[in-house]
Amino acid sequence: MTNVRALAAETLFQVVDKGQSLSAQLPYAAHKLSPKDKALLQQICYGVLRYLPTLEHYCQQLLDQPLKGKRRVFQFLLYVGMYQLQYMRTPEHAAVAETVNALQSMRAPGLKGLVNAILRTFQRQFSELQESAARVSVCQYNHPGWFMKKLQAAYPEHWQDILAANQEQAPMWLRVNRAHYSVNEYSELLDDAGIEHSLEPRFEDGIVLDKPCDVYSLPGFREGACSVQDAAAQLAARYLDPQDNERILDACAAPGGKTCHILELAKANVDALDADSERLLRVEDNLQRLELKANCIHADASTPNEWWDGQAYDRILLDVPCSATGVIRRHPDIKWLRRNSDIDDLAVLQKKILENIWPLLKPGGTLIYATCSVLPAENSEQVANFLDCTTDAIHQPLHESDTPTTPGLQLLPGLSDGFYYAKITKQQ
């Protein structure tokens, strides 16, 4: 029988030490587990990644020296045990016993004494260890130092709120398919199904659930009545404002939520472009479930000369590759996979894509620039530089303080994820 704690330790080792994505490793690790154990595996992995600096600090205090080399994976098993003891409702004796038993399936029964001793000491000295961690800045917030500095510079009054929101479980938002139901009609179906939820007027297609649920328990999900999509991401198609019969490009389209939303709002001719062939399959899956049609193109948005047919687009949604620092609560591995140097590299790529996609837009057409980042270098600074250097680009404000020098709308994680939008039209 597979030990969930052993799987968690091995998954975390692959993510933190080997730089693998959690969203790629989790399904691989969980494919043979029961639904209950899959949920436990995810809970442990997410939790350890959320509180990694604190758990590392505890181990530093309790181990004479860190476990390295072939024994490194067992350091993550200690994190798994400590996370259960501090943050989960698992009975303490069970948390310790199951974590120690994991060593059997990890083929290291000789380490049972060490792991048991460390976890027992952790229980006895927990108050002192907690006080010690509270004095360490990185343990107070459980984010990398470089990221905290960038947030402090960009949001001197709100940076702590952003970090706190990143540690919370993200809400489950639904996007109602307006081709099937109004939001109020679908809300009534949820009431009938006993699924508690609320409506938020700011997000006109959205419903937020009081607690996450299995998508197949949602009324009409298989038939395309709704999709799971964060409220912030739902704004993309609304700001794009697609119209019937228009030619529209959704660049960097995977996994397809925005593509489908565009087609739910208008009978448009949509090209869905993405450089990742595997993720493009998810676009096709979403289109199929919702019985929608788009032209899926496997190509790189930064090199349109390799795929563009020469016909200009009425509207372009440009959801560029970014640091994803606005969706850390959904993907806590981002904190440990992303590096400070990545931000400058991404800004260069974003500039290249924006400049190379712009000629594909018709005069009078609309481009929505979007990211799921909270960093100005990828967002307002990027768009301000583009507006300053592009004579036929006209800034279109999305709110009162959206100006050409500080353009766009920045949403911070909270009710929705952290997203950025800017609207630009091309001079006639």
Side-chain angles (χ1 to χ4, degrees):
M1 189 172 174
T2 306
N3 186 292
V4 177
R5 277 85 176 170
L7 276 179
E10 288 160 0
T11 300
L12 290 161
F13 170 69
Q14 288 298 322
V15 171
V16 177
D17 278 25
K18 300 299 183 183
Q20 299 298 309
S21 161
L22 181 62
S23 59
Q25 289 297 308
L26 261 184
Y28 174 77
H31 74 284
K32 290 183 180 179
L33 296 178
S34 68
K36 182 181 177 182
D37 282 347
K38 283 181 182 178
L40 177 59
L41 176 67
Q42 177 170 312
Q43 182 182 7
I44 292 173
C45 288
Y46 272 58
V48 170
L49 290 169
R50 286 192 174 116
Y51 294 99
L52 186 62
T54 295
L55 300 171
E56 286 177 334
H57 177 79
Y58 293 156
C59 273
Q60 285 171 4
Q61 304 303 304
L62 296 174
L63 282 170
D64 293 333
Q65 55 187 21
L67 300 174
K68 295 180 179 179
K70 292 181 179 179
R71 303 174 88 198
R72 175 67 176 157
V73 68
F74 305 115
Q75 179 107 358
F76 288 92
L77 185 64
L78 288 171
Y79 299 160
V80 166
M82 291 172 181
Y83 175 75
Q84 292 171 89
L85 289 167
Q86 181 170 358
Y87 298 103
M88 289 177 65
R89 294 178 181 175
T90 312
E92 290 192 359
H93 65 88
V96 173
E98 289 297 325
T99 303
V100 172
N101 287 340
L103 290 159
Q104 200 69 41
S105 61
M106 297 173 80
R107 298 178 181 175
L111 287 175
K112 282 186 175 183
L114 173 67
V115 170
N116 184 65
I118 294 294
L119 293 180
R120 295 296 184 194
T121 307
F122 175 74
Q123 288 177 284
R124 289 195 305 274
Q125 298 180 5
F126 179 63
S127 296
E128 297 92 327
L129 288 165
Q130 222 177 0
E131 289 175 12
S132 171
R135 295 191 290 270
V136 180
S137 175
V138 73
C139 295
Q140 291 171 24
Y141 299 106
N142 289 288
H143 282 70
W146 70 265
F147 180 60
M148 290 195 288
K149 286 177 185 175
K150 285 188 181 296
L151 285 186
Q152 287 170 358
Y155 308 101
E157 296 178 4
H158 302 294
W159 66 275
Q160 290 165 308
D161 296 332
I162 297 171
L163 297 177
N166 286 350
Q167 295 294 88
E168 300 293 328
Q169 181 178 356
M172 183 172 175
W173 279 90
L174 308 181
R175 185 189 76 240
V176 177
N177 185 346
R178 293 300 191 96
H180 290 231
Y181 299 100
S182 71
V183 169
N184 287 331
E185 287 170 341
Y186 195 74
S187 174
E188 290 176 7
L189 292 178
L190 291 174
D191 284 335
D192 293 341
I195 298 174
E196 296 181 353
H197 63 281
S198 57
L199 309 184
E200 295 290 340
R202 183 178 179 186
F203 305 109
E204 56 190 298
D205 302 311
I207 293 177
V208 62
L209 303 186
D210 288 9
K211 59 181 181 181
C213 70
D214 181 353
V215 291
Y216 293 109
S217 69
L218 297 168
F221 180 81
R222 284 184 175 86
E223 295 74 35
C226 71
S227 298
V228 177
Q229 185 183 39
D230 186 77
Q234 294 180 30
L235 293 176
R238 284 294 176 181
Y239 286 144
L240 190 68
D241 192 23
Q243 303 298 312
D244 289 351
N245 302 314
E246 286 184 330
R247 180 173 159 85
I248 296 174
L249 173 65
D250 183 2
C252 315
K258 301 180 184 73
T259 304
C260 293
H261 196 190
I262 291 166
L263 289 163
E264 289 170 4
L265 297 177
K267 294 185 174 81
N269 302 305
V270 176
D271 284 347
L273 178 86
D274 204 273
D276 187 327
S277 59
E278 286 191 19
R279 296 188 77 228
L280 199 61
L281 292 175
R282 293 182 62 194
V283 180
E284 293 172 349
D285 290 342
N286 280 317
L287 289 165
Q288 185 175 7
R289 181 179 67 85
L290 294 164
E291 297 183 349
L292 299 168
K293 290 185 178 179
N295 177 33
C296 293
I297 303 171
H298 175 218
D300 189 334
S302 68
T303 54
N305 58 308
E306 295 178 3
W307 52 266
W308 184 43
D309 63 6
Q311 296 182 57
Y313 292 97
D314 297 286
R315 297 176 199 266
I316 297 175
L317 173 58
L318 191 58
D319 187 357
V320 293
C322 71
S323 63
T325 46
V327 292
I328 283 173
R329 62 186 182 179
R330 294 190 190 278
H331 305 282
D333 53 326
I334 288 167
K335 292 191 290 187
W336 317 117
L337 296 178
R338 196 69 67 225
R339 298 287 180 266
N340 192 12
S341 59
D342 293 341
I343 308 308
D344 288 340
D345 293 342
L346 284 163
V348 170
L349 175 60
Q350 291 155 358
K351 180 176 186 287
K352 180 182 177 183
I353 293 174
L354 181 52
E355 289 176 349
N356 289 352
I357 284 290
W358 182 250
L360 280 59
L361 185 66
K362 283 182 181 176
T366 297
L367 182 143
I368 299 295
Y369 177 92
T371 77
C372 55
S373 168
V374 294
L375 300 178
E378 301 178 86
N379 296 341
S380 56
E381 292 173 14
Q382 185 76 256
V383 174
N385 290 336
F386 178 77
L387 291 169
D388 193 44
C389 299
T390 312
T391 55
D392 59 350
I394 303 170
H395 166 253
Q396 300 292 342
L398 296 174
H399 58 97
E400 289 181 2
S401 54
D402 180 354
T403 68
T405 51
T406 56
L409 170 71
Q410 179 70 68
L411 298 166
L412 299 176
L415 179 62
S416 71
D417 287 344
F419 258 75
Y420 174 83
Y421 291 105
K423 185 174 183 178
I424 309 167
T425 55
K426 183 174 281 190
Q427 192 169 356
Q428 290 275 14

